[in-house]
Amino acid sequence: MIKTQSTYQGKFLFLFSILVFSLFLITGCEKPEKTEMQQEQKQETETSEPSAPADEGQKKSAKTIQIKAGEFQGANGWLSDDKIVYTLNEGTDSRVFAYNLFTGDQTLLYESSYPIASVTVSPAGKYVLVRSSPGTYEGILTVVKANGKVVWEENISGFDFAVEWNPYHEESILIASFTEDWSFTSYHVDIAKGTSEEINLREPFVKWGDSKHLLFLDWDSENPSLFAPLVKKSIDGNNETEVKPDIFQFDSAKDRVMTITVPANQSDQAVYTFLDNDFGKLSSFSVPHLTSYSDWLVPYYDWTPHGFITFQPLYSAESDMYAGGFQLISVDSESGDKEVFFEDMENVPLSCSPNGTACLAGFYLEDLIMLDKKAIIPLVEHHNDKM
């Protein structure tokens, strides 16, 4: 019996060992499969995590402006990353609308029985300045908030006007009024105070260096030149300081200044230099430039949060003979790095969204360039509904 029991026990242990070993093999084979599945699931999760913005982007596909009556005078700029401003003429009336590019909703901001000559949006989209023209030498300047409320209005005589918003304090505006012979009068408008006062400026085209100082190129009328010194001036005084010599063109945005110069040893190149508020160099880059009679052509551009977006030609030539097309590029003001978005573009005016992901382009800003999607979409569709 003992021997028989031992045999049974031996068989049992043998079978049990086989069973355990088989289970071990099965488990060992299954583990990699389970791990691979887990990895695939993890990869799917990781891949699907960024899909929220993609879905959001799909939801935010741009909707074109549907015009059933009236003439599209042009888009005018951005109130926010989603909203633009555009002007529509219908009969003798002109209307300014705020339009949401991604919902198609629009709001009437301002209506005039006189032709609207220009519309300018403040840098952060807080205000819109509308210039309507009752006559050739008269302008009604009206400032409305983004909700359409009129906050300032004044009649100023002039054949044409230049407007420069203060990016540090949007209630502050510089306005230059021109006569037909291009003599000018400059005004400083304070929307918060409701005041408009004449100020003494030697140049009409000035920029804000900071909240209280202006920048301008000090051209010598007796000795015409392509270059002039960049001068800084207090808005409430006559003290002037030369900050940079031999500047061809300049511009400024909040906390940044950009100058364009032409090296003596590289006359076919334009050098763009970004400066901080203290005129310390941040970065620079160069592009071929195009000659225009006795001048140089500066391609259109607009500022973005980290630099600006502009067109650059492929080579230097006479502008009326150039046939190479333009690249649409962005430039980082900190590093000077370039990124090319489009090839073979036309050099046309630009107005870019506050976050720099989209631009209006064209002589009427009639196209929407989605930089993040690298797509160009017509902004307007006309419909003639006849019953």
Side-chain angles (χ1 to χ4, degrees):
M1 292 292 297
I2 295 174
K3 186 176 179 180
T4 305
Q5 188 174 359
S6 299
T7 303
Y8 287 150
Q9 286 178 344
K11 288 182 179 179
F12 175 78
L13 289 172
F14 176 74
L15 291 172
F16 181 76
S17 299
I18 292 175
L19 178 61
V20 170
F21 181 71
S22 300
L23 288 171
F24 175 78
L25 287 176
I26 293 170
T27 305
C29 292
E30 286 181 346
K31 275 187 178 179
E33 294 176 1
K34 187 175 182 182
T35 303
E36 288 173 4
M37 289 178 63
Q38 288 174 339
Q39 287 176 345
E40 289 174 0
Q41 289 172 352
K42 184 179 179 182
Q43 287 173 355
E44 288 174 0
T45 304
E46 290 174 348
T47 304
S48 62
E49 281 175 357
S51 66
D55 292 342
E56 186 179 345
Q58 289 173 2
K59 291 177 184 176
K60 291 182 67 174
S61 296
K63 298 181 183 297
T64 56
I65 301 171
Q66 306 294 314
I67 296 180
K68 296 182 179 180
E71 175 192 359
F72 177 75
Q73 183 175 326
N76 310 112
W78 298 77
L79 290 174
S80 68
D81 294 327
D82 294 346
K83 290 184 179 180
I84 65 166
V85 175
Y86 77 91
T87 305
L88 189 70
N89 295 331
E90 187 173 358
T92 58
D93 294 336
S94 294
R95 298 183 178 92
V96 181
F97 293 93
Y99 180 78
N100 191 307
L101 289 168
F102 304 108
T103 65
D105 296 332
Q106 69 177 19
T107 306
L108 179 65
L109 291 181
Y110 184 76
E111 184 173 8
S112 174
S113 57
Y114 302 114
I116 290 178
S118 65
V119 177
T120 311
V121 184
S122 67
K126 187 176 181 180
Y127 299 106
V128 177
L129 189 150
V130 181
R131 177 168 68 90
S132 49
S133 299
T136 305
Y137 304 103
E138 185 180 2
I140 301 175
L141 279 71
T142 306
V143 175
V144 300
K145 296 185 73 173
N147 60 7
K149 179 182 177 181
V150 175
V151 292
W152 179 82
E153 186 171 75
E154 190 167 323
N155 283 37
I156 299 178
S157 60
F159 175 74
D160 202 356
F161 295 82
V163 175
E164 193 66 34
W165 290 92
N166 186 340
Y168 303 90
H169 181 61
E170 294 199 13
E171 283 71 22
S172 180
I173 318 171
L174 289 174
I175 296 174
S177 168
F178 296 92
T179 61
E180 264 190 304
D181 64 358
W182 296 109
S183 60
F184 68 95
T185 304
S186 296
Y187 302 87
H188 180 214
V189 176
D190 191 317
I191 297 170
K193 296 179 181 178
T195 60
S196 171
E197 61 177 347
E198 276 191 39
I199 57 174
N200 182 28
L201 295 177
R202 290 189 288 113
E203 292 291 336
F205 302 107
V206 297
K207 302 288 183 179
W208 292 90
D210 56 40
S211 60
K212 297 181 180 179
H213 292 87
L214 306 176
L215 299 173
F216 64 92
L217 290 178
D218 191 12
W219 299 104
D220 186 347
S221 58
E222 295 182 359
N223 298 290
S225 171
L226 289 172
F227 305 97
L230 179 63
V231 173
K232 179 179 179 180
K233 176 189 182 299
S234 172
I235 192 171
D236 54 5
N238 294 318
N239 54 316
E240 297 180 357
T241 305
E242 181 179 321
V243 293
K244 292 288 179 182
D246 300 326
I247 302 300
F248 173 67
Q249 188 168 311
F250 87 102
D251 199 358
S252 69
K254 192 173 184 180
D255 300 323
R256 287 170 295 168
V257 176
M258 182 273 293
T259 62
I260 301 176
T261 57
V262 179
N265 59 346
Q266 281 186 302
S267 59
D268 62 342
Q269 295 289 308
V271 178
Y272 292 67
T273 302
F274 293 106
L275 310 168
D276 60 25
N277 272 5
D278 296 319
F279 306 102
K281 181 178 176 180
L282 298 173
S283 68
S284 67
F285 69 100
S286 62
V287 299
H289 62 200
L290 305 178
T291 58
S292 177
Y293 301 104
S294 60
D295 204 350
W296 287 297
L297 173 70
V298 175
Y300 292 103
Y301 63 87
D302 196 20
W303 293 92
T304 65
H306 303 293
F308 72 10
I309 291 175
T310 187
F311 295 98
Q312 75 169 5
L314 302 183
Y315 54 87
S316 180
E318 293 183 15
S319 59
D320 57 350
M321 300 294 290
Y322 179 74
F326 292 81
Q327 294 176 323
L328 181 64
I329 65 170
S330 69
V331 185
D332 189 296
S333 59
E334 294 286 339
S335 65
D337 292 339
K338 295 182 189 179
E339 179 181 358
V340 178
F341 287 106
F342 292 94
E343 302 279 355
D344 199 23
M345 297 283 285
E346 184 183 359
N347 177 37
V348 293
L350 288 170
S351 175
C352 298
S353 62
N355 63 6
T357 62
C359 294
L360 301 171
F363 290 100
Y364 300 95
L365 299 181
E366 69 276 14
D367 290 321
L368 176 65
I369 302 177
M370 304 294 288
L371 297 171
D372 51 350
K373 297 180 180 179
K374 295 195 174 182
I376 301 176
I377 305 165
L379 185 61
V380 178
E381 286 185 21
H382 294 271
H383 297 275
N384 295 319
D385 293 339
K386 295 180 180 180
M387 298 302 292

